[in-house]
Amino acid sequence: MTKLIGRTAELARLTALLRGRGPLVITGERGIGKSRLLTEAAQLARDLGRHRVVTLHPADLLSMIRQLLLAVRRELSDLDGPDARSALSFLELAAAPPPPDPARTAHAVLAELDRHRPLLITLDDAHRLPPEAATFLFRLTGVIRTLLFAAPAGQLPPPLTELPTLALSALNSQDSLRLLELRPHPPTGRFHALTLHRAAGNPAALIELAGGTGPLRPAFARSIATLPEPTRRLLLHLAAATAPGMKAPHAHPATAPNAADFCAVAAAAGVDGDAWRDAERAGVVVRIGAAVEFVHPLAADAAYHAVTAYRRAQAHQRLARWLPEQRALHLAAATFGPDEMVAAGLEEAAGVFRSGGNLAEAAVTMERAAERSAGPEAAARRLARAAGDTQRLGATDWTAELTAAVRRLTADPELTAPAEFTAALALSRSGRQHDAYGMVVAARRAGLPVGVGMTRLVASIAAISGHAEHRRGLAGLLAEVAPQIDPADVALMRLISDPDGPAGADFCETVRAPGAGDDRRTLAVVGTIAALTDRSRLAVDLLSAVRNLNPAPGLGGAAGTNTPLGARGETDTAFGDVGETNPALVAALIDTGRWGTAERVAESVEAAGLPVLRAALAALRAQLLALRGDGAGAMRLVREAWALIDVEQHRSVHVRLLRAAGLAAMSGGEHDDAYRHLRSMFDREGRPVEPFLAGRGIAELVSAAVRSGHRDEVASILEGVEVAAGSAAGVRLGLLLHHAGALLAEGDEADRRFRLAVEDEAAAEWPFELAMAQLHYGEWLRRVRRPRDARVLLSAAGRGFEELGAVRMSELAARELQASNPTARIGVLTAQEQQVAELAARGLRNREIADQLFISVRTVGAHLHSIYPKLGISSRHHLPAALHHADSQTQI
C-alpha cells in the first residue's frame, strides 16, 4: 500500500473499495489532501493491476463524454455492435452515423467495457460539475465498478450528494509533526511550533506556512484582490481578530468568533455585516450558523498580509474599542514601546489561554508581554513563564531560545534557576539527555538552587540514559533533597541510582493494591518501582489505576506525565510525576500476557514531539509483533524507532529495541541474527549495558546462542548476571536464570534447573516466559528419550502460546509434539476419550459434547487435557489431522 502520512485508515478503505465495487466521494476542507488521496487511489489501482484507470476533469456533458470515450478508445475498437461504432463515430474515429444520444451510447459501451475489465473513474473538483454532467456520472455508478470523486464538504451538486462519502479530518499532532519533519528545510524553534499550531492539521497549510510553495496562498490572495473594497476591509478586520495570539482568550484556537463578535468586527470595520456574502461566494469564508470564519488558515493569512503594517495597526486599534475581551491583545498590536499596562493586560490574557490549554497562544502572548515590559526583570520573568509554556508544548528549541533570553536579561537565581530547569527538562524530553544533564551540572556549579524538581529530572535522565555517571549524580542530589520528598520518591530515586540495592524491592513489599482516594502521582511512582523490580502484576494494577484516574489520550492524560523513561510532562513545576506510566504499563501488560490491552494502550498514547516516548512505545509494539510471529513488521518498527534516538543517550529504549529485534529474528528462525541483537544488550565484558531491562532477555540470549553455535560465548555472561543478582535476585530473574542455566547444563543439572524454571507457581505471572521454558524443557526431554514427559511439557507450552496469540511458537510446539510421538495410535485413547476427541474434531463445543455423552463439561475438559499430549498436539484445532494420522497408523 502507498505510504501517505496520517491516512492509513482512508487508504485501507480505498483498498477495500477497489477490491469490491461502489462509488465514493472524498470530502474535506481545502488543502486537507483530497486530491492527493485521489491520486494515491489511482496509483493503488494500477499497482493492484485489476482496473483500467480513467482520470476526468470537470466539464460540460459532451466534453465529459468525450474525455471518457477518448480514454478507452483503444478498447472500443475491440467491441462489436452499433454502440461501439457510434462511440467511435462520436470521436470522429469511424465512418458511421453519430449517436443520436451520446450519453446513452457512452453509458452502454462503458458498462460493456467494465464487464471485461473493471474501470476506475476518478474526478477531482466535482463541485464544479454542471448539473447535466453530474447526473450523467451519477447514472454511471450503477454500471461502472468504481467511481471516486473529490469535492469540498457541502459543495457537491445533486444527485452526487446521495453517494457515500469519506470525510477527511485534520492530521493529528504526531502526523503533522512527521509531515513537517519531512520538509527539505523544516522550520525550527518558535517558527516550528507556531507553524504546527497555526496549520491546525491541514497538510497544505503546514507546507505553505513552513515556507514551502503551494497553490493555496496565492489563490486566496487573488480571490481577495477581486473583491470590493468594503469586503476586503471586513476580511482584514476578521483576520486581525482571529490571527494567532488574537483570538478571544476564552475561545478554543479552532473556533470562529461568535455571532456577537462578528457583528462587532463588522462595526469596527465600518462595513455592513452583509458584506461577507461576496467573500463567501469567492470561497474565502464560510457561514456556520450565525457566525462566519475563514475556510482555511491561509485565507486568513492572505487577508491579513494583503495590506500595509500601518493599515493592520489601524484595524487593531478599532478592534480594541469594539472587542473588550481582546482589548489588551489589540492595543499591543496597535502600539509600540514599553508600556507596563499593556504588558500586564497581555500577561492576564496569556493566563486565560494557558488555563484553556492553548499553550502556543499563551507563549506568544507572554513573549509580547515581555517586549512591552518596563524593565529587564519583568521581561525576564515573563519570558521564563513563556519557556514553561513551550516546554509543556514540547517545543524544545523555542524553550532554549527563551531561556537564553532570560539569561541575557537577568542574573537573579529566582528567575534563572526555573528557566534553566525548564530548558533542561525540554532537552531531556526531546532526546538530548547528555545536554540536559550538563545543564543541571552547570546550574549547580553556578550556585543556582537545585531542589526537588531538578533531582527528579536527573532521576529521569539517569533512567533513560542508563549511564553510571548520571546515576552517581542522582545519588549526590538525593542526599541533599531526600528529607523534602515523600518515601515513594526516595525509594524510586535510590533504585535508579543503585539498581542492585534493596530500596525498590523493600518498598514494594509494603505496597497494597490501589484503592479509592489513592494519589495519582504516588500510584505512578510506586507503579514504576514495581515495573522496574519485576512485580509485573502489581505494576499493571497501579499503573492502570493511574490511567483510570485520567483516561484521556496521552501519557496518563491529555498532557501526560513526566517520567523517568521518556514520558510527557504536565505540571507547571515541570517534573511532577516520576513514573514511567504508559511505557511501563504496556511492558507489564505484555509480560503478564494481556497483549490486546497492551496494544490498545500503546496506540492511545499521544507522543507528538516526544521522540523518546515514541521510540519506547514503538519498541514495545515491535515486541508484540515479534511475539505474535510478525518478524517483518516488528523490524520495520524497530528501524523507525532507532532513527528517532541516539542509542548512547537512551540505553533503556535501545535495550527494548534490541530485545524486540532478537525476538523478531527468532520468530523467523534466524538465530544468528537473534544472537547478534540480544548479545548487544551486554558490553564486551558481558555486563548489561542498562541495569533494569537487559537481564530480562538472558534466557532468550542463551537460547539463540545455543542454536547459533555461540554456546561457549554466553556462559560467562550468564555467570556474570547470576553473580550480580546474588541471593537477592527477584522471582522473575531467578526463573530466567534457571531457564538459561538449564539450556547450558547437561544431565541431572539441566533437569533440575528446568524443573525450577517451570514448576514454581510464581512463574504463571509471566506466561510467555513460562511457555518458553516449558517448550525448551520438552525439547530437552525428547532429546534424552523421555517422550511421555516431553509431551506433557510441550502440550502445556502449545496451549500457553495459543492462548497468548504467539502463532509461530505455537506451531513450533506442535511440531515438537508430533516429533515426540511420531507413531501415535488411536489405541492410546480410552473409549470415552476417543468419543470426546471425535466430537471435538467435528467442531462441537465442550457443552455440546457433554450433552451428547451425558457427562459434565469439566469431564470433557479433563479428557481433552489428557488427549492432546497422547496425540502429540497442543489444541483442538489439530484434532482432525491427528485422528486421521492415528487411524491410518492403526490400519497399517
Side-chain angles (χ1 to χ4, degrees):
M1 183 176 289
T2 307
K3 180 72 172 176
L4 192 62
I5 291 176
R7 300 300 183 205
T8 303
E10 291 84 353
L11 285 170
R13 180 170 176 183
L14 290 176
T15 302
L17 187 68
L18 291 172
R19 288 174 174 155
R21 65 177 303 142
L24 185 67
V25 181
I26 302 170
T27 67
E29 65 180 15
R30 292 182 71 174
I32 202 66
K34 302 184 296 295
S35 301
R36 176 68 187 280
L37 194 60
L38 209 62
T39 302
E40 293 287 336
Q43 185 57 51
L44 183 59
R46 295 186 186 99
D47 293 342
L48 292 173
R50 298 181 61 220
H51 294 75
R52 172 76 164 85
V53 180
V54 178
T55 302
L56 300 180
H57 305 283
D60 60 69
L61 176 59
L62 289 180
S63 297
M64 182 71 65
I65 293 172
R66 183 171 296 275
Q67 288 183 57
L68 279 165
L69 295 180
L70 280 171
V72 297
R73 61 188 181 277
R74 291 185 179 85
E75 289 87 345
L76 285 174
S77 60
D78 297 330
L79 298 180
D80 294 324
D83 286 326
R85 290 191 293 273
S86 295
L88 290 170
S89 175
F90 177 80
L91 297 174
E92 300 179 356
L93 297 175
D101 185 352
R104 189 207 66 78
T105 298
H107 188 278
V109 296
L110 289 169
E112 187 172 355
L113 288 173
D114 189 79
R115 285 193 293 272
H116 288 87
R117 182 186 178 188
L119 287 171
L120 167 63
I121 297 176
T122 69
L123 184 138
D124 204 353
D125 295 324
H127 61 296
R128 301 185 188 281
L129 285 170
E132 299 86 356
T135 301
F136 169 72
L137 289 173
F138 177 76
R139 289 172 179 165
L140 279 184
T141 62
V143 296
I144 300 301
R145 197 72 55 95
T146 310
L147 288 96
L148 292 177
F149 305 97
Q155 297 186 39
L156 272 177
L160 297 184
T161 51
E162 300 176 24
L163 299 179
T165 60
L166 171 60
L168 297 187
S169 58
L171 299 179
N172 62 34
S173 54
Q174 186 162 323
D175 289 329
S176 296
L177 182 63
R178 289 174 60 205
L179 180 61
L180 200 58
E181 288 172 347
L182 289 175
R183 301 292 303 152
H185 304 287
T188 59
R190 182 181 191 271
F191 186 29
H192 181 276
L194 289 180
T195 297
L196 286 170
H197 173 65
R198 291 181 59 195
N202 185 286
L206 276 167
I207 293 170
E208 294 193 36
L209 289 172
T213 58
L216 288 186
R217 194 196 311 255
F220 284 126
R222 288 192 297 270
S223 297
I224 292 169
T226 64
L227 295 172
E229 191 282 331
T231 304
R232 297 199 307 273
R233 194 180 342 134
L234 180 60
L235 290 177
L236 167 63
H237 284 72
L238 182 61
T242 57
M246 289 295 171
K247 294 183 178 72
H250 66 273
H252 188 276
T255 60
N258 58 35
D261 286 342
F262 178 74
C263 291
V265 169
V271 175
D272 188 329
D274 290 337
W276 62 263
R277 295 185 186 277
D278 288 332
E280 186 180 27
R281 283 193 289 269
V284 178
V285 298
V286 63
R287 183 172 183 172
I288 302 175
V292 174
E293 67 177 9
F294 285 100
V295 298
H296 195 276
L298 292 172
D301 189 73
Y304 191 69
H305 290 97
V307 301
T308 63
Y310 173 71
R311 288 193 59 194
R312 291 198 294 270
Q314 283 185 315
H316 284 297
Q317 282 183 326
R318 288 191 288 268
L319 288 166
R321 294 195 298 271
W322 285 94
L323 298 174
E325 290 182 335
Q326 300 182 33
R327 178 177 174 79
L329 301 172
H330 290 293
L331 283 177
T335 60
F336 306 93
D339 187 326
E340 191 57 36
M341 183 176 294
V342 170
L346 288 169
E347 185 171 4
E348 182 179 355
V352 181
F353 283 132
R354 188 179 299 113
S355 65
N358 303 335
L359 296 176
E361 303 273 10
V364 169
T365 307
M366 287 301 289
E367 280 188 301
R368 295 169 65 206
E371 292 170 1
R372 307 303 297 274
S373 297
E377 296 296 320
R381 179 182 59 78
R382 286 166 175 146
L383 288 176
R385 191 57 191 270
D389 294 328
T390 59
Q391 178 271 317
R392 292 177 61 198
L393 192 63
T396 304
D397 293 339
W398 192 2
T399 304
E401 293 169 5
L402 292 167
T403 303
V406 172
R407 288 195 211 103
R408 291 193 296 270
L409 288 169
T410 184
D412 183 351
E414 291 190 4
L415 293 175
T416 55
E420 295 290 337
F421 165 72
T422 298
L425 177 57
L427 287 169
S428 176
R429 290 176 56 192
S430 68
R432 295 158 63 181
Q433 309 308 325
H434 292 328
D435 290 344
Y437 183 75
M439 185 168 280
V440 174
V441 172
R444 195 178 189 194
R445 287 174 179 168
L448 294 179
V450 180
V452 173
M454 196 71 88
T455 305
R456 288 173 175 159
L457 174 57
V458 173
S460 171
I461 293 168
I464 293 169
S465 72
H467 279 271
E469 175 192 357
H470 299 160
R471 294 199 297 272
R472 288 193 295 271
L474 172 62
L477 291 174
L478 183 58
E480 300 176 15
V481 303
Q484 305 172 42
I485 55 181
D486 62 52
D489 269 327
V490 172
L492 177 57
M493 292 182 189
R494 284 181 176 159
L495 175 62
I496 293 171
S497 63
D498 181 14
D500 296 326
D506 290 349
F507 190 85
C508 271
E509 294 299 331
T510 67
V511 174
R512 56 169 176 77
D518 284 332
D519 174 69
R520 176 175 179 266
R521 191 182 178 286
T522 300
L523 289 173
V525 172
V526 181
T528 300
I529 296 173
L532 293 177
T533 56
D534 286 329
R535 270 69 170 180
S536 302
R537 286 177 180 162
L538 179 61
V540 168
D541 291 342
L542 294 167
L543 297 178
S544 295
V546 172
R547 282 181 61 85
N548 292 338
L549 287 171
N550 194 347
L555 207 115
T561 305
N562 289 304
T563 78
L565 301 183
R568 189 167 186 170
E570 67 173 355
T571 61
D572 289 337
T573 55
F575 203 67
D577 286 338
V578 193
E580 188 199 8
T581 54
N582 278 336
L585 174 57
V586 173
L589 287 166
I590 293 172
D591 291 340
T592 54
R594 283 166 270 192
W595 293 0
T597 305
E599 187 172 38
R600 289 191 294 275
V601 172
E603 291 176 350
S604 73
V605 179
E606 174 59 62
L610 299 170
V612 183
L613 177 58
R614 283 174 59 192
L617 291 169
L620 292 164
R621 289 168 53 217
Q623 182 182 343
L624 269 175
L625 288 175
L627 292 172
R628 286 170 168 162
D630 183 2
M635 286 308 301
R636 176 181 53 79
L637 278 177
V638 166
R639 286 189 290 270
E640 290 176 2
W642 264 325
L644 293 171
I645 60 169
D646 174 356
V647 297
E648 271 304 305
Q649 298 191 62
H650 303 90
R651 292 182 180 178
S652 61
V653 180
H654 181 46
V655 166
R656 288 198 192 280
L657 290 167
L658 287 170
R659 188 176 179 207
L663 289 168
M666 290 174 68
S667 74
E670 301 292 338
H671 298 295
D672 280 322
D673 287 345
Y675 174 74
R676 177 170 53 85
H677 289 303
L678 296 168
R679 175 64 180 82
S680 298
M681 297 192 301
F682 301 84
D683 63 19
R684 290 183 178 180
E685 287 71 38
R687 296 186 298 263
V689 298
E690 188 277 341
F692 295 105
L693 305 176
R696 297 176 187 175
I698 187 63
E700 293 151 5
L701 169 61
V702 174
S703 174
V706 169
R707 284 164 167 74
S708 60
H710 298 278
R711 184 188 192 96
D712 295 338
E713 299 173 29
V714 296
S716 60
I717 296 178
L718 175 59
E719 182 181 357
V721 175
E722 288 179 321
V723 170
S727 59
V731 173
R732 182 184 186 183
L733 182 57
L735 293 168
L736 291 171
L737 290 173
H738 286 312
H739 181 180
L743 291 170
L744 294 179
E746 300 289 346
D748 291 343
E749 177 62 12
D751 191 35
R752 183 186 72 83
R753 299 203 72 169
F754 269 130
R755 285 182 177 277
L756 289 171
V758 303
E759 293 181 356
D760 191 324
E761 292 182 0
E765 186 168 348
W766 304 278
F768 181 80
E769 292 167 7
L770 172 59
M772 285 296 295
Q774 290 169 333
L775 172 63
H776 291 156
Y777 191 13
E779 291 175 334
W780 182 85
L781 287 168
R782 185 175 67 81
R783 288 197 305 272
V784 298
R785 302 183 184 281
R786 292 167 56 186
R788 184 184 297 275
D789 293 337
R791 288 195 292 274
V792 173
L793 271 297
L794 293 171
S795 182
R799 287 195 301 275
F801 289 134
E802 188 167 8
E803 289 171 3
L804 289 168
V807 178
R808 295 287 179 86
M809 301 312 299
S810 176
E811 293 171 351
L812 177 58
R815 289 197 298 271
E816 286 292 326
L817 264 174
Q818 190 64 39
S820 72
N821 190 23
T823 59
R825 296 179 182 273
I826 200 69
V828 301
L829 302 181
T830 67
Q832 194 166 78
E833 285 175 347
Q834 182 175 338
Q835 289 178 304
V836 169
E838 290 173 350
L839 292 172
R842 285 162 45 191
L844 273 68
R845 297 180 180 180
N846 287 12
R847 170 63 65 185
E848 295 168 329
I849 296 171
D851 291 343
Q852 284 205 26
L853 299 181
F854 301 100
I855 58 177
S856 70
V857 175
R858 179 175 295 180
T859 301
V860 173
H863 281 322
L864 288 172
H865 186 76
S866 175
I867 289 166
Y868 296 154
K870 287 183 178 182
L871 294 182
I873 60 175
S874 60
S875 73
R876 69 198 306 140
H877 301 300
H878 303 120
L879 274 172
L883 290 176
H884 175 75
H885 173 76
D887 187 54
S888 65
Q889 292 291 325
T890 301
Q891 293 174 12
I892 293 171

